[in-house]
Amino acid sequence: MGRQPTFSTPDIGVAPARNSRWGPLTPKAHVPSLLDDAGDLFTPATRSELLVRARIDEVESEFRAQIDAVSDAGLSPTHLDWHCLADGGRDDILDLTAAPAAEYGLAVRIWLEPGRRKLRRQGLPVTDRPFLDSFALDTDGKPARYAELLRTLPTGLSEWAVHPGLGNEEAQAIEPDGWRVRRTDYEFLVSPRAGEILREEGIVVIDYRPLQEKWARTAAE
Protein backbone atom coordinates (compact mmCIF):
# COMPACT_ATOMS: atom_id res chain seq x y z
CA MET A 1 0.00 0.00 0.00
CA GLY A 2 1.24 3.51 -0.55
CA ARG A 3 0.61 7.20 -0.32
CA GLN A 4 2.41 9.56 -2.68
CA PRO A 5 3.22 13.16 -1.76
CA THR A 6 3.66 14.69 -5.19
CA PHE A 7 6.33 16.86 -6.76
CA SER A 8 4.44 18.13 -9.74
CA THR A 9 5.29 19.49 -13.16
CA PRO A 10 4.02 20.52 -15.64
CA ASP A 11 1.05 22.85 -15.22
CA ILE A 12 0.23 23.74 -18.80
CA GLY A 13 -1.96 26.74 -18.21
CA VAL A 14 -3.65 27.00 -14.83
CA ALA A 15 -2.61 29.33 -12.01
CA PRO A 16 -3.92 27.95 -8.70
CA ALA A 17 -5.57 30.95 -7.08
CA ARG A 18 -7.39 34.03 -8.28
CA ASN A 19 -4.99 36.34 -6.42
CA SER A 20 -1.84 34.58 -7.63
CA ARG A 21 -1.16 34.90 -11.37
CA TRP A 22 1.79 34.20 -13.60
CA GLY A 23 2.69 33.60 -17.21
CA PRO A 24 4.26 30.67 -19.04
CA LEU A 25 7.96 29.86 -19.19
CA THR A 26 7.74 29.71 -22.97
CA PRO A 27 7.74 33.16 -24.62
CA LYS A 28 4.14 34.34 -24.67
CA ALA A 29 4.18 34.91 -28.42
CA HIS A 30 4.83 31.18 -28.90
CA VAL A 31 1.95 29.91 -26.74
CA PRO A 32 -1.01 32.31 -27.18
CA SER A 33 -3.59 29.52 -26.91
CA LEU A 34 -2.53 28.86 -23.30
CA LEU A 35 -3.09 32.46 -22.14
CA ASP A 36 -6.15 34.42 -21.10
CA ASP A 37 -6.99 37.92 -22.25
CA ALA A 38 -4.62 39.42 -19.67
CA GLY A 39 -1.71 37.38 -21.05
CA ASP A 40 -1.49 35.12 -17.99
CA LEU A 41 -2.15 31.44 -17.52
CA PHE A 42 -5.77 30.53 -16.97
CA THR A 43 -7.18 30.14 -13.47
CA PRO A 44 -9.03 26.98 -12.37
CA ALA A 45 -12.32 28.82 -12.85
CA THR A 46 -11.61 29.21 -16.57
CA ARG A 47 -9.94 25.87 -17.29
CA SER A 48 -12.78 24.88 -19.66
CA GLU A 49 -11.84 27.80 -21.91
CA LEU A 50 -8.20 26.71 -21.83
CA LEU A 51 -9.11 23.20 -22.94
CA VAL A 52 -11.13 24.54 -25.87
CA ARG A 53 -8.33 26.85 -27.00
CA ALA A 54 -5.12 24.96 -26.21
CA ARG A 55 -3.10 23.89 -29.25
CA ILE A 56 -1.27 20.63 -28.75
CA ASP A 57 2.03 21.94 -30.15
CA GLU A 58 1.93 24.86 -27.70
CA VAL A 59 1.10 22.50 -24.85
CA GLU A 60 4.18 20.46 -25.69
CA SER A 61 6.38 23.56 -25.83
CA GLU A 62 5.28 24.67 -22.37
CA PHE A 63 5.59 21.11 -21.01
CA ARG A 64 9.20 20.93 -22.07
CA ALA A 65 10.03 24.44 -20.88
CA GLN A 66 8.74 23.63 -17.39
CA ILE A 67 10.52 20.29 -17.21
CA ASP A 68 13.80 21.87 -18.36
CA ALA A 69 13.43 24.70 -15.82
CA VAL A 70 13.14 22.20 -12.98
CA SER A 71 16.14 20.22 -14.23
CA ASP A 72 18.20 23.37 -14.80
CA ALA A 73 17.52 24.37 -11.19
CA GLY A 74 19.33 21.22 -10.08
CA LEU A 75 16.17 19.44 -8.97
CA SER A 76 15.21 15.87 -9.82
CA PRO A 77 11.52 15.57 -10.69
CA THR A 78 9.94 12.14 -10.45
CA HIS A 79 6.78 12.56 -12.50
CA LEU A 80 4.59 14.81 -14.60
CA ASP A 81 1.28 16.19 -13.37
CA TRP A 82 -1.26 18.62 -14.85
CA HIS A 83 -2.18 20.05 -11.44
CA CYS A 84 -5.74 21.37 -11.90
CA LEU A 85 -6.44 19.38 -15.08
CA ALA A 86 -7.36 15.75 -14.47
CA ASP A 87 -5.32 13.63 -16.90
CA GLY A 88 -4.60 16.74 -18.94
CA GLY A 89 -8.29 17.42 -19.51
CA ARG A 90 -8.14 16.01 -23.07
CA ASP A 91 -7.18 12.64 -24.52
CA ASP A 92 -4.62 14.16 -26.88
CA ILE A 93 -2.90 15.96 -24.00
CA LEU A 94 -2.74 12.73 -22.01
CA ASP A 95 -1.25 10.90 -24.99
CA LEU A 96 1.20 13.73 -25.66
CA THR A 97 2.57 13.58 -22.13
CA ALA A 98 3.82 10.01 -22.50
CA ALA A 99 6.55 11.12 -24.94
CA PRO A 100 8.41 13.63 -22.71
CA ALA A 101 7.86 11.31 -19.73
CA ALA A 102 9.74 8.55 -21.53
CA GLU A 103 12.38 10.96 -22.82
CA TYR A 104 13.11 12.42 -19.38
CA GLY A 105 12.72 9.14 -17.48
CA LEU A 106 9.65 10.25 -15.53
CA ALA A 107 6.34 8.76 -14.46
CA VAL A 108 2.97 10.39 -15.15
CA ARG A 109 0.37 11.03 -12.48
CA ILE A 110 -2.95 9.61 -13.67
CA TRP A 111 -6.20 10.55 -11.94
CA LEU A 112 -9.12 8.99 -13.80
CA GLU A 113 -10.08 5.39 -14.52
CA PRO A 114 -10.01 5.63 -18.36
CA GLY A 115 -6.41 6.83 -18.23
CA ARG A 116 -5.48 4.24 -15.63
CA ARG A 117 -6.95 1.45 -17.77
CA LYS A 118 -5.04 2.67 -20.83
CA LEU A 119 -1.71 2.75 -19.02
CA ARG A 120 -2.24 -0.57 -17.24
CA ARG A 121 -2.57 -2.17 -20.68
CA GLN A 122 0.88 -0.78 -21.44
CA GLY A 123 2.29 -2.39 -18.30
CA LEU A 124 2.73 0.92 -16.48
CA PRO A 125 2.04 1.29 -12.74
CA VAL A 126 -0.88 3.46 -11.72
CA THR A 127 -2.99 3.73 -8.60
CA ASP A 128 -5.64 1.09 -7.95
CA ARG A 129 -8.43 3.56 -7.21
CA PRO A 130 -9.22 7.28 -7.54
CA PHE A 131 -7.02 9.53 -5.45
CA LEU A 132 -8.26 11.35 -2.39
CA ASP A 133 -8.19 15.15 -2.64
CA SER A 134 -8.06 16.82 0.75
CA PHE A 135 -9.99 19.81 -0.62
CA ALA A 136 -13.00 17.48 -0.84
CA LEU A 137 -12.98 16.85 2.92
CA ASP A 138 -14.66 18.99 5.55
CA THR A 139 -12.20 20.87 7.71
CA ASP A 140 -14.37 20.24 10.77
CA GLY A 141 -13.59 16.82 12.19
CA LYS A 142 -10.83 16.20 9.66
CA PRO A 143 -8.48 14.34 12.06
CA ALA A 144 -11.18 11.78 12.82
CA ARG A 145 -12.01 11.43 9.12
CA TYR A 146 -8.37 10.91 8.19
CA ALA A 147 -8.03 8.30 10.93
CA GLU A 148 -11.09 6.46 9.63
CA LEU A 149 -9.82 6.52 6.04
CA LEU A 150 -6.45 5.14 7.09
CA ARG A 151 -8.03 2.40 9.19
CA THR A 152 -10.17 1.27 6.24
CA LEU A 153 -7.62 1.80 3.45
CA PRO A 154 -7.95 -1.04 0.91
CA THR A 155 -4.98 -3.18 -0.04
CA GLY A 156 -3.13 -1.86 -3.07
CA LEU A 157 -1.65 1.40 -4.28
CA SER A 158 -3.54 4.53 -3.24
CA GLU A 159 -2.73 8.21 -3.54
CA TRP A 160 -3.76 11.00 -1.23
CA ALA A 161 -3.44 14.53 -2.61
CA VAL A 162 -2.91 16.47 0.61
CA HIS A 163 -2.07 20.16 0.75
CA PRO A 164 -0.28 20.98 4.00
CA GLY A 165 0.41 24.60 4.84
CA LEU A 166 0.79 26.78 7.91
CA GLY A 167 -2.05 29.12 6.98
CA ASN A 168 -0.01 32.24 7.64
CA GLU A 169 -1.05 35.76 6.65
CA GLU A 170 0.28 35.45 3.11
CA ALA A 171 -1.52 32.14 2.60
CA GLN A 172 -4.77 33.62 3.89
CA ALA A 173 -4.47 36.54 1.47
CA ILE A 174 -3.88 34.22 -1.51
CA GLU A 175 -6.54 31.68 -0.53
CA PRO A 176 -9.18 33.22 1.74
CA ASP A 177 -11.01 29.89 1.81
CA GLY A 178 -8.44 27.22 0.97
CA TRP A 179 -5.87 28.04 3.65
CA ARG A 180 -7.97 26.24 6.28
CA VAL A 181 -7.76 23.05 4.23
CA ARG A 182 -3.99 23.35 4.18
CA ARG A 183 -3.68 24.13 7.88
CA THR A 184 -5.85 21.19 8.97
CA ASP A 185 -3.94 18.87 6.62
CA TYR A 186 -0.67 20.01 8.16
CA GLU A 187 -1.91 19.55 11.71
CA PHE A 188 -2.94 15.94 11.10
CA LEU A 189 0.07 14.93 9.02
CA VAL A 190 2.60 16.03 11.67
CA SER A 191 0.58 14.61 14.56
CA PRO A 192 1.75 11.56 16.54
CA ARG A 193 -1.63 9.98 15.82
CA ALA A 194 -0.98 9.84 12.10
CA GLY A 195 2.30 8.01 12.57
CA GLU A 196 0.75 5.60 15.05
CA ILE A 197 -2.04 4.64 12.66
CA LEU A 198 0.38 4.05 9.81
CA ARG A 199 2.43 1.70 11.96
CA GLU A 200 -0.58 -0.12 13.37
CA GLU A 201 -2.16 -0.67 9.96
CA GLY A 202 1.09 -1.60 8.21
CA ILE A 203 0.71 1.17 5.66
CA VAL A 204 3.87 1.87 3.66
CA VAL A 205 4.23 5.50 2.60
CA ILE A 206 6.07 6.00 -0.69
CA ASP A 207 6.75 8.81 -3.11
CA TYR A 208 6.81 8.60 -6.89
CA ARG A 209 10.34 7.22 -7.18
CA PRO A 210 9.36 3.52 -7.31
CA LEU A 211 6.78 4.33 -9.97
CA GLN A 212 9.30 6.43 -11.86
CA GLU A 213 11.72 3.51 -11.96
CA LYS A 214 9.08 1.20 -13.41
CA TRP A 215 7.99 3.78 -16.00
CA ALA A 216 11.62 4.27 -17.06
CA ARG A 217 12.24 0.52 -17.36
CA THR A 218 9.08 0.03 -19.41
CA ALA A 219 9.99 2.90 -21.74
CA ALA A 220 13.43 1.36 -22.32
CA GLU A 221 12.05 -2.04 -23.31
Side-chain angles (χ1 to χ4, degrees):
M1 290 178 284
R3 229 64 62 249
Q4 293 89 254
T6 60
F7 176 71
S8 302
T9 183
D11 185 344
I12 61 169
V14 181
R18 61 181 179 272
N19 296 325
S20 179
R21 304 299 308 280
W22 56 76
L25 294 181
T26 310
K28 291 184 178 183
H30 296 171
V31 289
S33 72
L34 306 185
L35 308 179
D36 64 14
D37 293 340
D40 295 321
L41 296 178
F42 286 85
T43 66
T46 55
R47 73 186 72 176
S48 60
E49 183 179 355
L50 165 68
L51 292 174
V52 170
R53 294 177 50 176
R55 290 182 42 166
I56 198 67
D57 58 324
E58 296 179 15
V59 171
E60 182 173 7
S61 294
E62 181 61 14
F63 271 9
R64 293 182 179 278
Q66 293 190 21
I67 298 168
D68 289 340
V70 172
S71 298
D72 291 346
L75 302 173
S76 299
T78 58
H79 66 287
L80 305 181
D81 176 22
W82 303 274
H83 190 54
C84 294
L85 299 172
D87 290 4
R90 291 185 348 203
D91 290 343
D92 58 341
I93 295 177
L94 174 60
D95 293 339
L96 164 71
T97 310
E103 180 180 333
Y104 289 88
L106 303 172
V108 179
R109 184 187 187 208
I110 303 299
W111 292 13
L112 306 177
E113 182 56 28
R116 297 203 304 270
R117 285 199 303 268
K118 177 185 291 187
L119 294 174
R120 285 193 195 104
R121 290 195 294 268
Q122 300 175 30
L124 294 166
V126 292
T127 56
D128 295 311
R129 57 196 55 83
F131 80 102
L132 180 145
D133 185 348
S134 67
F135 272 86
L137 301 178
D138 290 336
T139 54
D140 294 337
K142 185 182 282 187
R145 180 60 176 149
Y146 271 148
E148 176 188 10
L149 290 169
L150 287 174
R151 296 287 190 195
T152 60
L153 189 72
T155 300
L157 182 64
S158 298
E159 179 176 356
W160 284 17
V162 293
H163 307 81
L166 297 178
N168 58 19
E169 184 176 344
E170 180 182 8
Q172 293 181 35
I174 293 174
E175 290 187 291
D177 302 318
W179 71 268
R180 292 181 177 85
V181 174
R182 300 180 186 279
R183 178 66 194 186
T184 51
D185 280 357
Y186 169 79
E187 289 171 348
F188 178 78
L189 293 170
V190 301
S191 69
R193 187 183 187 193
E196 290 169 2
I197 295 174
L198 293 175
R199 290 190 295 271
E200 291 169 0
E201 298 297 327
I203 297 171
V204 178
V205 180
I206 66 172
D207 58 20
Y208 260 88
R209 282 172 291 187
L211 305 184
Q212 177 190 16
E213 292 170 3
K214 173 61 176 174
W215 275 72
R217 288 197 303 270
T218 301
E221 292 175 355

